Amino acid sequence: MMKYIFIPIFMVALLASCESNLEEEPFSFITNENFFNTEEDAISGINAVYDNLRENGFYGSTYVTLSELGADIIEYRNDGDAEFIGFDKNQFGSAFSPLNSFWTQAYSTINRANTVIVNTTLDSEIGDRVIAEAKFLRALTYFNLVRAFGDVPLVLTPPEGIDNLAIPRVESSQVYDQIVGDLNQIIDNGDLPETYDNSSDIGRATNGAAQALLAEIQLTLGNYQEARDLAQQIISSGNYQLFETYNDIFDLANENGIEHIFSIQYSCVEPQFASGYAQSFAVDFLYPGFGGLMVNEDFVASFDDNDVRSDLIYTEKITASGDTLQVKQKPRHDKFFDPSPCGNNAAQNNWIVYRLADILLIFAEAENELSGPTSGAYNAVNQIRERAGIDPLAAGLSTEAFKEAVLQERAWELYSEGHRRWDLLRTGRYIQQMESTGIPTESKYVLFPIPLPELDANKELTQNDGY
């Protein structure tokens, strides 16, 4: 299946970010009279929002660092970059550069989305869809921001000049109200299609993507009925199904396939469209250099002997010449293996944001919170375990035991896919789990510090407690 590469046909520099998100170039020259007046312009504008998530690393190494290295399963090699080692061990502060990169690229994406929303006035199906796509991408970005930092500035219009750019943080509840409202509107209005007829559009947000994002948000907020119902709608839609085998999920030939709901698109069409995931987990014979991300050995040992999901994790590999190469330090995995990478730190692997297995586990978690471990909750988990080649969950689990089982299942199923930190925080297990792996943890670490460059640039910002 072909995947669409979002290449803006207007000058992307018009929307480029400066060093700080609140020091954007002003957008005062963009008006409803001279911008996004045609469907071609509107599509070019929304393509630039997608492009920002991919090209500048928001869903590249930065997101992996926060969501996975900032948890317990993925570790950083001990002979690597000192800053990343410090992050892995909860020895970081507001000057840590990936935090500023994450913040800056998030607000750059939000400002691009705001520009599309404000300046797209087309009274057409395409116009409505483009605005819905922009609101979806803005909601996704804000969701990641509030999970990472808590209270953040809520910016809903593009900057109109260089004045009044000092914007304070608002309570995270206000951010959630905004993004939940936007997503409900998108879903209720039917502005996003269930699927795209044109193969060149594959990779854009669908109604299923909006439902998946809202389901996870509602689960995070403890709104279990809403989360359960949204997950059920996705499962019952018939638009998605589990791949027959686990490895198929990550095969490059299957990208944007039957299980994938929304992915950030990467390819070798242009060098800037390639991803770095393959090299981040690689050993040095596969790519020009090797990455720093490894798999915790205790986690590897937790798998059932028959669980095929652990087959992707290895401690040695056979080279093209037939030699056996021992992996340095700790195990690696091949979820992001690309046999023909574009070059150094450049491969074709998409970043999977949502897939059906994730939604089945969201359904099971929410259903259990509402009614205990019902047959429906068991069935959702056991579909995934059956594919993994392991026995169904034991019958008769208590609500708490089933909750723990779902969290463990998410770890085995979704490791390295950007969920682990958020899962531990959502379930209240973060501090306990990090300490169990020997990583010193305090309550302040449930949020990251506001980046120091942003505090310097915007005097209305305040720092999170403890930093």
Side-chain angles (χ1 to χ4, degrees), residues 315-326:
T315 56
E316 64 180 29
K317 222 173 181 193
I318 308 300
T319 68
S321 61
D323 297 326
T324 300
L325 183 73
Q326 298 297 321

Side-chain angles (χ1 to χ4, degrees), residues 26-46:
F27 288 79
S28 57
F29 57 89
I30 300 175
T31 69
N32 290 339
E33 288 72 35
N34 65 13
F35 206 62
F36 302 159
N37 286 333
T38 68
E39 290 185 354
E40 184 180 43
D41 288 340
I43 291 172
S44 296
I46 191 60

Side-chain angles (χ1 to χ4, degrees), residues 76-80 294 297 326-332:
Y76 196 78
R77 73 176 198 264
N78 60 26
D79 60 347
M294 309 176 299
E297 291 172 316
Q326 298 297 321
V327 173
K328 298 178 180 180
Q329 296 186 16
K330 291 189 178 182
R332 305 283 179 136

Side-chain angles (χ1 to χ4, degrees), residues 76-77 79 278-284 289-294 332:
Y76 196 78
R77 73 176 198 264
D79 60 347
Q279 186 163 317
S280 293
F281 291 93
V283 290
D284 47 356
F290 65 101
L293 300 179
M294 309 176 299
R332 305 283 179 136

Side-chain angles (χ1 to χ4, degrees), residues 57-176:
F58 182 81
Y59 267 104
S61 60
T62 303
Y63 189 78
V64 175
T65 299
L66 269 65
S67 61
E68 293 291 348
L69 194 55
D72 61 321
I73 293 174
I74 301 304
E75 299 182 10
Y76 196 78
R77 73 176 198 264
N78 60 26
D79 60 347
D81 187 287
E83 191 173 48
F84 285 87
I85 294 172
F87 192 85
D88 180 26
K89 303 303 181 185
N90 273 350
Q91 299 170 357
F92 60 87
S94 62
F96 183 59
S97 59
L99 294 174
N100 192 55
S101 176
F102 186 79
W103 179 287
T104 300
Q105 288 309 125
Y107 278 101
S108 176
T109 301
I110 288 165
N111 284 336
R112 291 189 184 201
N114 287 338
T115 300
V116 171
I117 294 165
V118 169
N119 292 285
T120 300
T121 58
L122 297 170
D123 186 15
S124 69
E125 182 178 337
I126 292 295
D128 292 342
R129 192 199 79 195
V130 164
I131 292 173
E133 287 179 82
K135 288 184 176 180
F136 166 82
L137 295 173
R138 185 176 70 180
L140 176 64
T141 306
Y142 267 124
F143 183 40
N144 287 325
L145 277 170
V146 294
R147 290 193 293 185
F149 299 105
D151 301 344
V152 295
L154 180 60
V155 184
L156 301 175
T157 57
E160 296 181 353
I162 61 175
D163 299 324
N164 300 319
L165 293 183
I167 303 173
R169 303 165 72 185
V170 302
E171 292 186 4
S172 59
S173 60
Q174 187 175 337
V175 180
Y176 276 118

Side-chain angles (χ1 to χ4, degrees), residues 405-419:
V406 171
L407 179 62
Q408 181 61 68
E409 203 67 45
R410 289 185 65 84
W412 289 327
E413 178 71 20
L414 301 168
Y415 66 89
S416 293
E417 295 182 51
H419 299 278

